[in-house]
Amino acid sequence: MTLVGVYGTRPDLLPRSMVRVVRADQQSDRRLTWVGRPGVALLNLDQHLRYERESLSRYPRNPDGTIEWGPVPDGLVLSSMDSDSVELSTAIQHATPNAGSLIFFWGSLAVPTVEMGLEFTVTHLSDITESVPEFWIYSPSDRVVVELSFSGVVTAANMPVDMDDRGTA
């Protein structure tokens, strides 16, 4: 199966506070479709790939998809702590003070990447963590990634600079 055939096919796995079912428009071959609730945008594959290139793809990755933090320069890591020792919403707000919107990536490509504001995120964070134990948040305006790993570690880091960012190729 191709990426096009897999990506975003399971929005039903997102918390109900984020998505709802609506009647599909007449152009669709389906009667019902999933949409984001107000404040939540389900991203299409092109948007997902663009944000992934800007964020997660810049870090070394483990086979399970998590970021391999060992090779990441210490100067980029803003914080790393056990989720039991920190209020997750506070950690996200601290790491992304300029966030206009946050991009959420999930452990499965079948679940569509979503974009939501910081306020919506903070309000619905408990629903998210109950439904999805592992995810990544990217703040385009802060150029920061926050990873909540399955093991319960919350790590926030600035984006690595790549050659294109310095204006040279």
Side-chain angles (χ1 to χ4, degrees), residues 90-105:
T90 302
I92 292 168
Q93 289 172 308
H94 182 60
T96 62
N98 302 310
S101 63
L102 298 171
I103 311 301
F104 278 71
F105 299 94

Side-chain angles (χ1 to χ4, degrees), residues 26-155:
Q26 304 229 341
Q27 314 306 7
S28 176
D29 58 342
R30 301 170 57 194
R31 289 181 180 209
L32 302 173
T33 190
W34 290 91
V35 297
R37 291 195 181 269
V40 178
L42 304 181
L43 302 185
N44 65 36
L45 180 58
D46 289 337
Q47 293 166 315
H48 162 82
L49 291 172
R50 184 188 73 176
Y51 283 124
E52 184 180 48
R53 273 192 307 275
E54 288 179 17
S55 62
L56 298 179
S57 293
R58 293 181 179 224
Y59 293 97
R61 305 290 288 275
N62 292 308
D64 66 357
T66 58
I67 295 172
E68 186 179 356
W69 291 107
V72 175
D74 290 339
L76 293 179
V77 177
L78 300 169
S79 64
S80 186
M81 60 199 81
D82 189 282
S83 62
D84 291 337
S85 67
V86 64
E87 178 66 34
L88 186 55
S89 62
T90 302
I92 292 168
Q93 289 172 308
H94 182 60
T96 62
N98 302 310
S101 63
L102 298 171
I103 311 301
F104 278 71
F105 299 94
W106 317 104
S108 169
L109 284 173
V111 180
T113 297
V114 300
E115 180 176 8
M116 30 188 186
L118 181 59
E119 186 175 314
F120 186 94
T121 297
V122 169
T123 303
H124 296 282
L125 201 51
S126 63
D127 290 344
I128 296 168
T129 56
E130 285 177 24
S131 299
V132 187
E134 181 173 72
F135 55 86
W136 299 263
I137 303 169
Y138 170 49
S139 171
S141 55
D142 294 294
R143 296 187 45 78
V144 166
V145 166
V146 178
E147 176 183 69
L148 177 61
S149 70
F150 188 74
S151 65
V153 176
V154 179
T155 306

